[in-house]
Amino acid sequence: MGLEGKTAIVTGASSGIGAAVVRSLLAEGVRVAGGARRVDRIEAAVALPLDVTDQASSERFVAAAVAELGAIDILFNSAGLALGRVPVDESTEEDERVVLETNVVGLMRMTRLCLPHIRDGGHIVNMGSIAGRQAYPNGSAYIASKFAVRGYTYALREDLLGRPIRITTVDAGLVETEFSVVRFRGDEEAARAVYEGLEPVTADEVADCVLFALTRPPHVNVDEIVVKALAQSSGARIVREQP
Ligand code: NAP
């Protein structure tokens, strides 16, 4: 199924997986409105400021995107982050709040705001994680947030059943993006170590998975895609080559 002439909203469009999905949608002839806080880094023709943790910003973004695009065919919710790798008793209220407000409340808000503008044949794709399927040590807020994304996506599928809107979650393992730089608060060395000794999945390879779900025939709903580096079986179990 071709995507030519369709419209899409992509959150987290300034970096990593969101930016890769913007590129692949543009290559398919989709008109894309991308949102993020670093709006100058968005490559979509319609690049708009968006902070998914802020209700007014999210409302402004959706109104402006819909004014540019008309109705929406595709919503890709990619905006998200992790903060730190510490055990529960060293975690902070502030970090937990930011992670949950971005990954969970923000994703639910964007979905709710976009839904009235999604036309028949539309498709919502949420960026989950293997952290939302199996816990690993020292990532409690992020793990809780991604379990919530999976639960919300299942609930969305229930509530939209019978309507011509498809729902997919893409649960990825290690993908080399700015994710770890953000998680380790700018510590490039700590971020690099996450991907050392293995070949991680790239953002473009995740975008391929998203494109696969989007291009199935309209009666086919790819509910979940789980994609990991071959060298990884879970968030905790990673085989690394020794230097
Ligand atoms: P990334 O390169 O750090 O990109 C994260 C994106 O989220 C950026 O565009 C960032 O834009 C945006 N964002 C963060 N907070 C936001 C906010 N409050 N409002 C709007 N946008 C916000 O990381 P990534 O790997 O592409 O992550 C994208 C998604 O994939 C996330 O949901 C992440 O949890 C998920 N994921 C990543 C991995 C991985 O290993 N990388 C694995 C599984 C799942 P601004 O900072 O410009 O606002």
PDB file of all heavy atoms in Angstrom, residues 27-62:
ATOM      1  N   ALA A  27      10.370  10.491   1.873  1.00  0.00           N
ATOM      2  CA  ALA A  27      10.799   9.736   0.674  1.00  0.00           C
ATOM      3  C   ALA A  27       9.621   9.002   0.026  1.00  0.00           C
ATOM      4  O   ALA A  27       9.642   8.731  -1.168  1.00  0.00           O
ATOM      5  CB  ALA A  27      11.901   8.750   1.051  1.00  0.00           C
ATOM      6  N   GLU A  28       8.601   8.686   0.827  1.00  0.00           N
ATOM      7  CA  GLU A  28       7.401   8.000   0.307  1.00  0.00           C
ATOM      8  C   GLU A  28       6.355   8.974  -0.215  1.00  0.00           C
ATOM      9  O   GLU A  28       5.256   8.570  -0.596  1.00  0.00           O
ATOM     10  CB  GLU A  28       6.761   7.154   1.424  1.00  0.00           C
ATOM     11  CG  GLU A  28       7.620   5.999   1.910  1.00  0.00           C
ATOM     12  CD  GLU A  28       7.828   4.927   0.859  1.00  0.00           C
ATOM     13  OE1 GLU A  28       6.851   4.548   0.198  1.00  0.00           O
ATOM     14  OE2 GLU A  28       8.982   4.487   0.695  1.00  0.00           O
ATOM     15  N   GLY A  29       6.650  10.282  -0.156  1.00  0.00           N
ATOM     16  CA  GLY A  29       5.705  11.275  -0.659  1.00  0.00           C
ATOM     17  C   GLY A  29       4.638  11.690   0.338  1.00  0.00           C
ATOM     18  O   GLY A  29       3.574  12.195  -0.027  1.00  0.00           O
ATOM     19  N   VAL A  30       4.940  11.498   1.634  1.00  0.00           N
ATOM     20  CA  VAL A  30       3.998  11.896   2.689  1.00  0.00           C
ATOM     21  C   VAL A  30       4.265  13.357   3.068  1.00  0.00           C
ATOM     22  O   VAL A  30       5.417  13.794   3.108  1.00  0.00           O
ATOM     23  CB  VAL A  30       4.167  10.985   3.930  1.00  0.00           C
ATOM     24  CG1 VAL A  30       3.256  11.422   5.070  1.00  0.00           C
ATOM     25  CG2 VAL A  30       3.908   9.531   3.563  1.00  0.00           C
ATOM     26  N   ARG A  31       3.206  14.116   3.328  1.00  0.00           N
ATOM     27  CA  ARG A  31       3.365  15.482   3.853  1.00  0.00           C
ATOM     28  C   ARG A  31       3.452  15.387   5.376  1.00  0.00           C
ATOM     29  O   ARG A  31       2.510  14.909   6.015  1.00  0.00           O
ATOM     30  CB  ARG A  31       2.183  16.357   3.422  1.00  0.00           C
ATOM     31  CG  ARG A  31       2.241  16.710   1.919  1.00  0.00           C
ATOM     32  CD  ARG A  31       0.914  17.192   1.403  1.00  0.00           C
ATOM     33  NE  ARG A  31       0.408  18.296   2.198  1.00  0.00           N
ATOM     34  CZ  ARG A  31      -0.853  18.385   2.601  1.00  0.00           C
ATOM     35  NH1 ARG A  31      -1.740  17.475   2.282  1.00  0.00           N
ATOM     36  NH2 ARG A  31      -1.248  19.431   3.296  1.00  0.00           N
ATOM     37  N   VAL A  32       4.564  15.829   5.917  1.00  0.00           N
ATOM     38  CA  VAL A  32       4.849  15.576   7.335  1.00  0.00           C
ATOM     39  C   VAL A  32       4.913  16.876   8.131  1.00  0.00           C
ATOM     40  O   VAL A  32       5.574  17.829   7.715  1.00  0.00           O
ATOM     41  CB  VAL A  32       6.200  14.833   7.496  1.00  0.00           C
ATOM     42  CG1 VAL A  32       6.467  14.525   8.963  1.00  0.00           C
ATOM     43  CG2 VAL A  32       6.235  13.564   6.660  1.00  0.00           C
ATOM     44  N   ALA A  33       4.257  16.890   9.274  1.00  0.00           N
ATOM     45  CA  ALA A  33       4.463  17.950  10.266  1.00  0.00           C
ATOM     46  C   ALA A  33       5.213  17.339  11.434  1.00  0.00           C
ATOM     47  O   ALA A  33       4.739  16.377  12.059  1.00  0.00           O
ATOM     48  CB  ALA A  33       3.128  18.524  10.726  1.00  0.00           C
ATOM     49  N   GLY A  34       6.399  17.876  11.707  1.00  0.00           N
ATOM     50  CA  GLY A  34       7.218  17.352  12.791  1.00  0.00           C
ATOM     51  C   GLY A  34       7.231  18.311  13.964  1.00  0.00           C
ATOM     52  O   GLY A  34       7.247  19.530  13.775  1.00  0.00           O
ATOM     53  N   GLY A  35       7.240  17.738  15.166  1.00  0.00           N
ATOM     54  CA  GLY A  35       7.276  18.571  16.367  1.00  0.00           C
ATOM     55  C   GLY A  35       8.355  18.121  17.331  1.00  0.00           C
ATOM     56  O   GLY A  35       8.657  16.921  17.443  1.00  0.00           O
ATOM     57  N   ALA A  36       8.978  19.084  18.005  1.00  0.00           N
ATOM     58  CA  ALA A  36       9.960  18.834  19.070  1.00  0.00           C
ATOM     59  C   ALA A  36      10.295  20.198  19.669  1.00  0.00           C
ATOM     60  O   ALA A  36       9.905  21.237  19.118  1.00  0.00           O
ATOM     61  CB  ALA A  36      11.221  18.178  18.520  1.00  0.00           C
ATOM     62  N   ARG A  37      11.052  20.176  20.769  1.00  0.00           N
ATOM     63  CA  ARG A  37      11.445  21.460  21.356  1.00  0.00           C
ATOM     64  C   ARG A  37      12.533  22.114  20.512  1.00  0.00           C
ATOM     65  O   ARG A  37      12.522  23.310  20.307  1.00  0.00           O
ATOM     66  CB  ARG A  37      11.907  21.241  22.807  1.00  0.00           C
ATOM     67  CG  ARG A  37      10.763  20.776  23.718  1.00  0.00           C
ATOM     68  CD  ARG A  37      11.267  20.204  25.002  1.00  0.00           C
ATOM     69  NE  ARG A  37      12.164  19.078  24.756  1.00  0.00           N
ATOM     70  CZ  ARG A  37      12.747  18.362  25.705  1.00  0.00           C
ATOM     71  NH1 ARG A  37      12.525  18.654  26.971  1.00  0.00           N
ATOM     72  NH2 ARG A  37      13.536  17.358  25.402  1.00  0.00           N
ATOM     73  N   ARG A  38      13.473  21.327  19.974  1.00  0.00           N
ATOM     74  CA  ARG A  38      14.538  21.887  19.115  1.00  0.00           C
ATOM     75  C   ARG A  38      14.034  21.914  17.674  1.00  0.00           C
ATOM     76  O   ARG A  38      14.429  21.092  16.846  1.00  0.00           O
ATOM     77  CB  ARG A  38      15.799  21.034  19.244  1.00  0.00           C
ATOM     78  CG  ARG A  38      16.452  21.130  20.628  1.00  0.00           C
ATOM     79  CD  ARG A  38      17.512  20.080  20.809  1.00  0.00           C
ATOM     80  NE  ARG A  38      16.945  18.730  20.747  1.00  0.00           N
ATOM     81  CZ  ARG A  38      17.671  17.606  20.718  1.00  0.00           C
ATOM     82  NH1 ARG A  38      18.974  17.670  20.740  1.00  0.00           N
ATOM     83  NH2 ARG A  38      17.071  16.426  20.668  1.00  0.00           N
ATOM     84  N   VAL A  39      13.180  22.896  17.415  1.00  0.00           N
ATOM     85  CA  VAL A  39      12.460  22.934  16.139  1.00  0.00           C
ATOM     86  C   VAL A  39      13.411  23.147  14.961  1.00  0.00           C
ATOM     87  O   VAL A  39      13.155  22.659  13.856  1.00  0.00           O
ATOM     88  CB  VAL A  39      11.333  23.997  16.209  1.00  0.00           C
ATOM     89  CG1 VAL A  39      11.876  25.395  16.267  1.00  0.00           C
ATOM     90  CG2 VAL A  39      10.327  23.823  15.120  1.00  0.00           C
ATOM     91  N   ASP A  40      14.531  23.831  15.209  1.00  0.00           N
ATOM     92  CA  ASP A  40      15.512  24.112  14.135  1.00  0.00           C
ATOM     93  C   ASP A  40      16.129  22.835  13.578  1.00  0.00           C
ATOM     94  O   ASP A  40      16.707  22.835  12.495  1.00  0.00           O
ATOM     95  CB  ASP A  40      16.620  25.036  14.674  1.00  0.00           C
ATOM     96  CG  ASP A  40      17.211  24.497  15.969  1.00  0.00           C
ATOM     97  OD1 ASP A  40      16.446  24.262  16.924  1.00  0.00           O
ATOM     98  OD2 ASP A  40      18.438  24.272  16.016  1.00  0.00           O
ATOM     99  N   ARG A  41      16.038  21.737  14.308  1.00  0.00           N
ATOM    100  CA  ARG A  41      16.658  20.470  13.856  1.00  0.00           C
ATOM    101  C   ARG A  41      15.688  19.574  13.094  1.00  0.00           C
ATOM    102  O   ARG A  41      16.057  18.480  12.680  1.00  0.00           O
ATOM    103  CB  ARG A  41      17.198  19.713  15.067  1.00  0.00           C
ATOM    104  CG  ARG A  41      18.421  20.404  15.661  1.00  0.00           C
ATOM    105  CD  ARG A  41      18.990  19.641  16.814  1.00  0.00           C
ATOM    106  NE  ARG A  41      19.094  18.210  16.568  1.00  0.00           N
ATOM    107  CZ  ARG A  41      19.788  17.370  17.321  1.00  0.00           C
ATOM    108  NH1 ARG A  41      20.434  17.821  18.360  1.00  0.00           N
ATOM    109  NH2 ARG A  41      19.828  16.089  17.054  1.00  0.00           N
ATOM    110  N   ILE A  42      14.453  20.036  12.913  1.00  0.00           N
ATOM    111  CA  ILE A  42      13.444  19.179  12.248  1.00  0.00           C
ATOM    112  C   ILE A  42      13.539  19.361  10.737  1.00  0.00           C
ATOM    113  O   ILE A  42      13.519  20.485  10.243  1.00  0.00           O
ATOM    114  CB  ILE A  42      12.027  19.538  12.748  1.00  0.00           C
ATOM    115  CG1 ILE A  42      11.933  19.308  14.265  1.00  0.00           C
ATOM    116  CG2 ILE A  42      10.974  18.716  12.007  1.00  0.00           C
ATOM    117  CD1 ILE A  42      10.644  19.785  14.898  1.00  0.00           C
ATOM    118  N   GLU A  43      13.636  18.227  10.014  1.00  0.00           N
ATOM    119  CA  GLU A  43      13.819  18.296   8.557  1.00  0.00           C
ATOM    120  C   GLU A  43      12.506  18.295   7.777  1.00  0.00           C
ATOM    121  O   GLU A  43      12.516  18.414   6.559  1.00  0.00           O
ATOM    122  CB  GLU A  43      14.705  17.132   8.081  1.00  0.00           C
ATOM    123  CG  GLU A  43      16.167  17.306   8.484  1.00  0.00           C
ATOM    124  CD  GLU A  43      16.992  16.051   8.228  1.00  0.00           C
ATOM    125  OE1 GLU A  43      16.626  15.246   7.357  1.00  0.00           O
ATOM    126  OE2 GLU A  43      18.007  15.892   8.927  1.00  0.00           O
ATOM    127  N   ALA A  44      11.367  18.161   8.460  1.00  0.00           N
ATOM    128  CA  ALA A  44      10.069  18.153   7.767  1.00  0.00           C
ATOM    129  C   ALA A  44       9.752  19.539   7.216  1.00  0.00           C
ATOM    130  O   ALA A  44      10.227  20.553   7.755  1.00  0.00           O
ATOM    131  CB  ALA A  44       8.975  17.722   8.739  1.00  0.00           C
ATOM    132  N   ALA A  45       8.943  19.581   6.143  1.00  0.00           N
ATOM    133  CA  ALA A  45       8.559  20.866   5.549  1.00  0.00           C
ATOM    134  C   ALA A  45       7.802  21.710   6.574  1.00  0.00           C
ATOM    135  O   ALA A  45       7.976  22.922   6.663  1.00  0.00           O
ATOM    136  CB  ALA A  45       7.704  20.621   4.312  1.00  0.00           C
ATOM    137  N   VAL A  46       6.963  21.056   7.337  1.00  0.00           N
ATOM    138  CA  VAL A  46       6.243  21.751   8.409  1.00  0.00           C
ATOM    139  C   VAL A  46       6.917  21.377   9.725  1.00  0.00           C
ATOM    140  O   VAL A  46       6.777  20.257  10.225  1.00  0.00           O
ATOM    141  CB  VAL A  46       4.749  21.351   8.433  1.00  0.00           C
ATOM    142  CG1 VAL A  46       4.011  22.124   9.513  1.00  0.00           C
ATOM    143  CG2 VAL A  46       4.104  21.558   7.068  1.00  0.00           C
ATOM    144  N   ALA A  47       7.700  22.296  10.266  1.00  0.00           N
ATOM    145  CA  ALA A  47       8.430  22.057  11.509  1.00  0.00           C
ATOM    146  C   ALA A  47       7.892  23.004  12.569  1.00  0.00           C
ATOM    147  O   ALA A  47       7.950  24.224  12.393  1.00  0.00           O
ATOM    148  CB  ALA A  47       9.923  22.290  11.287  1.00  0.00           C
ATOM    149  N   LEU A  48       7.379  22.448  13.638  1.00  0.00           N
ATOM    150  CA  LEU A  48       6.683  23.267  14.626  1.00  0.00           C
ATOM    151  C   LEU A  48       7.177  22.952  16.037  1.00  0.00           C
ATOM    152  O   LEU A  48       7.476  21.791  16.341  1.00  0.00           O
ATOM    153  CB  LEU A  48       5.178  22.975  14.566  1.00  0.00           C
ATOM    154  CG  LEU A  48       4.476  23.286  13.240  1.00  0.00           C
ATOM    155  CD1 LEU A  48       3.134  22.571  13.164  1.00  0.00           C
ATOM    156  CD2 LEU A  48       4.293  24.794  13.093  1.00  0.00           C
ATOM    157  N   PRO A  49       7.209  23.984  16.895  1.00  0.00           N
ATOM    158  CA  PRO A  49       7.632  23.716  18.272  1.00  0.00           C
ATOM    159  C   PRO A  49       6.600  22.868  19.007  1.00  0.00           C
ATOM    160  O   PRO A  49       5.393  23.056  18.831  1.00  0.00           O
ATOM    161  CB  PRO A  49       7.722  25.115  18.900  1.00  0.00           C
ATOM    162  CG  PRO A  49       6.920  26.010  18.021  1.00  0.00           C
ATOM    163  CD  PRO A  49       6.876  25.396  16.658  1.00  0.00           C
ATOM    164  N   LEU A  50       7.123  21.927  19.792  1.00  0.00           N
ATOM    165  CA  LEU A  50       6.225  21.049  20.564  1.00  0.00           C
ATOM    166  C   LEU A  50       6.936  20.594  21.826  1.00  0.00           C
ATOM    167  O   LEU A  50       8.043  20.061  21.776  1.00  0.00           O
ATOM    168  CB  LEU A  50       5.849  19.813  19.723  1.00  0.00           C
ATOM    169  CG  LEU A  50       5.138  18.678  20.483  1.00  0.00           C
ATOM    170  CD1 LEU A  50       3.758  19.130  20.976  1.00  0.00           C
ATOM    171  CD2 LEU A  50       5.007  17.438  19.603  1.00  0.00           C
ATOM    172  N   ASP A  51       6.271  20.828  22.957  1.00  0.00           N
ATOM    173  CA  ASP A  51       6.688  20.197  24.211  1.00  0.00           C
ATOM    174  C   ASP A  51       5.510  19.347  24.655  1.00  0.00           C
ATOM    175  O   ASP A  51       4.483  19.876  25.097  1.00  0.00           O
ATOM    176  CB  ASP A  51       7.042  21.262  25.260  1.00  0.00           C
ATOM    177  CG  ASP A  51       7.503  20.633  26.574  1.00  0.00           C
ATOM    178  OD1 ASP A  51       7.332  19.404  26.755  1.00  0.00           O
ATOM    179  OD2 ASP A  51       8.016  21.381  27.433  1.00  0.00           O
ATOM    180  N   VAL A  52       5.652  18.021  24.544  1.00  0.00           N
ATOM    181  CA  VAL A  52       4.506  17.141  24.830  1.00  0.00           C
ATOM    182  C   VAL A  52       4.121  17.143  26.310  1.00  0.00           C
ATOM    183  O   VAL A  52       3.034  16.686  26.664  1.00  0.00           O
ATOM    184  CB  VAL A  52       4.750  15.687  24.349  1.00  0.00           C
ATOM    185  CG1 VAL A  52       4.940  15.616  22.848  1.00  0.00           C
ATOM    186  CG2 VAL A  52       5.916  15.029  25.090  1.00  0.00           C
ATOM    187  N   THR A  53       5.011  17.674  27.177  1.00  0.00           N
ATOM    188  CA  THR A  53       4.660  17.739  28.605  1.00  0.00           C
ATOM    189  C   THR A  53       3.799  18.961  28.920  1.00  0.00           C
ATOM    190  O   THR A  53       3.338  19.117  30.048  1.00  0.00           O
ATOM    191  CB  THR A  53       5.924  17.782  29.505  1.00  0.00           C
ATOM    192  OG1 THR A  53       6.598  19.031  29.290  1.00  0.00           O
ATOM    193  CG2 THR A  53       6.857  16.630  29.221  1.00  0.00           C
ATOM    194  N   ASP A  54       3.617  19.824  27.917  1.00  0.00           N
ATOM    195  CA  ASP A  54       2.906  21.088  28.128  1.00  0.00           C
ATOM    196  C   ASP A  54       1.598  21.051  27.325  1.00  0.00           C
ATOM    197  O   ASP A  54       1.629  20.970  26.094  1.00  0.00           O
ATOM    198  CB  ASP A  54       3.838  22.219  27.656  1.00  0.00           C
ATOM    199  CG  ASP A  54       3.213  23.598  27.832  1.00  0.00           C
ATOM    200  OD1 ASP A  54       1.984  23.748  27.625  1.00  0.00           O
ATOM    201  OD2 ASP A  54       3.959  24.536  28.143  1.00  0.00           O
ATOM    202  N   GLN A  55       0.492  21.128  28.033  1.00  0.00           N
ATOM    203  CA  GLN A  55      -0.806  20.997  27.364  1.00  0.00           C
ATOM    204  C   GLN A  55      -1.025  22.080  26.305  1.00  0.00           C
ATOM    205  O   GLN A  55      -1.449  21.802  25.182  1.00  0.00           O
ATOM    206  CB  GLN A  55      -1.936  21.048  28.401  1.00  0.00           C
ATOM    207  CG  GLN A  55      -3.300  20.783  27.794  1.00  0.00           C
ATOM    208  CD  GLN A  55      -4.417  20.819  28.837  1.00  0.00           C
ATOM    209  OE1 GLN A  55      -4.155  20.768  30.030  1.00  0.00           O
ATOM    210  NE2 GLN A  55      -5.644  20.890  28.384  1.00  0.00           N
ATOM    211  N   ALA A  56      -0.700  23.352  26.672  1.00  0.00           N
ATOM    212  CA  ALA A  56      -0.928  24.459  25.734  1.00  0.00           C
ATOM    213  C   ALA A  56      -0.052  24.312  24.496  1.00  0.00           C
ATOM    214  O   ALA A  56      -0.507  24.529  23.360  1.00  0.00           O
ATOM    215  CB  ALA A  56      -0.663  25.791  26.434  1.00  0.00           C
ATOM    216  N   SER A  57       1.209  23.924  24.691  1.00  0.00           N
ATOM    217  CA  SER A  57       2.121  23.718  23.561  1.00  0.00           C
ATOM    218  C   SER A  57       1.590  22.610  22.649  1.00  0.00           C
ATOM    219  O   SER A  57       1.619  22.740  21.416  1.00  0.00           O
ATOM    220  CB  SER A  57       3.524  23.359  24.080  1.00  0.00           C
ATOM    221  OG  SER A  57       4.313  22.809  23.057  1.00  0.00           O
ATOM    222  N   SER A  58       1.098  21.539  23.242  1.00  0.00           N
ATOM    223  CA  SER A  58       0.582  20.403  22.455  1.00  0.00           C
ATOM    224  C   SER A  58      -0.655  20.828  21.670  1.00  0.00           C
ATOM    225  O   SER A  58      -0.808  20.462  20.493  1.00  0.00           O
ATOM    226  CB  SER A  58       0.264  19.230  23.378  1.00  0.00           C
ATOM    227  OG  SER A  58       1.404  18.870  24.130  1.00  0.00           O
ATOM    228  N   GLU A  59      -1.536  21.599  22.316  1.00  0.00           N
ATOM    229  CA  GLU A  59      -2.752  22.070  21.623  1.00  0.00           C
ATOM    230  C   GLU A  59      -2.398  22.992  20.459  1.00  0.00           C
ATOM    231  O   GLU A  59      -2.952  22.875  19.368  1.00  0.00           O
ATOM    232  CB  GLU A  59      -3.684  22.787  22.622  1.00  0.00           C
ATOM    233  CG  GLU A  59      -4.368  21.816  23.563  1.00  0.00           C
ATOM    234  CD  GLU A  59      -5.158  22.488  24.690  1.00  0.00           C
ATOM    235  OE1 GLU A  59      -5.086  23.745  24.798  1.00  0.00           O
ATOM    236  OE2 GLU A  59      -5.813  21.780  25.451  1.00  0.00           O
ATOM    237  N   ARG A  60      -1.442  23.905  20.718  1.00  0.00           N
ATOM    238  CA  ARG A  60      -1.004  24.820  19.651  1.00  0.00           C
ATOM    239  C   ARG A  60      -0.402  24.042  18.488  1.00  0.00           C
ATOM    240  O   ARG A  60      -0.662  24.315  17.326  1.00  0.00           O
ATOM    241  CB  ARG A  60       0.051  25.805  20.196  1.00  0.00           C
ATOM    242  CG  ARG A  60      -0.527  27.076  20.787  1.00  0.00           C
ATOM    243  CD  ARG A  60       0.555  28.151  20.952  1.00  0.00           C
ATOM    244  NE  ARG A  60       1.726  27.671  21.684  1.00  0.00           N
ATOM    245  CZ  ARG A  60       1.832  27.695  23.025  1.00  0.00           C
ATOM    246  NH1 ARG A  60       0.853  28.179  23.758  1.00  0.00           N
ATOM    247  NH2 ARG A  60       2.931  27.251  23.611  1.00  0.00           N
ATOM    248  N   PHE A  61       0.415  23.044  18.823  1.00  0.00           N
ATOM    249  CA  PHE A  61       1.083  22.236  17.790  1.00  0.00           C
ATOM    250  C   PHE A  61       0.041  21.527  16.919  1.00  0.00           C
ATOM    251  O   PHE A  61       0.111  21.586  15.681  1.00  0.00           O
ATOM    252  CB  PHE A  61       2.021  21.198  18.431  1.00  0.00           C
ATOM    253  CG  PHE A  61       2.533  20.194  17.434  1.00  0.00           C
ATOM    254  CD1 PHE A  61       3.629  20.491  16.632  1.00  0.00           C
ATOM    255  CD2 PHE A  61       1.907  18.965  17.269  1.00  0.00           C
ATOM    256  CE1 PHE A  61       4.083  19.580  15.680  1.00  0.00           C
ATOM    257  CE2 PHE A  61       2.356  18.048  16.316  1.00  0.00           C
ATOM    258  CZ  PHE A  61       3.444  18.360  15.525  1.00  0.00           C
ATOM    259  N   VAL A  62      -0.913  20.867  17.540  1.00  0.00           N
ATOM    260  CA  VAL A  62      -1.900  20.092  16.760  1.00  0.00           C
ATOM    261  C   VAL A  62      -2.743  21.035  15.900  1.00  0.00           C
ATOM    262  O   VAL A  62      -2.972  20.757  14.711  1.00  0.00           O
ATOM    263  CB  VAL A  62      -2.784  19.214  17.683  1.00  0.00           C
ATOM    264  CG1 VAL A  62      -3.902  18.533  16.888  1.00  0.00           C
ATOM    265  CG2 VAL A  62      -1.931  18.157  18.383  1.00  0.00           C
TER     266      VAL A  62
END
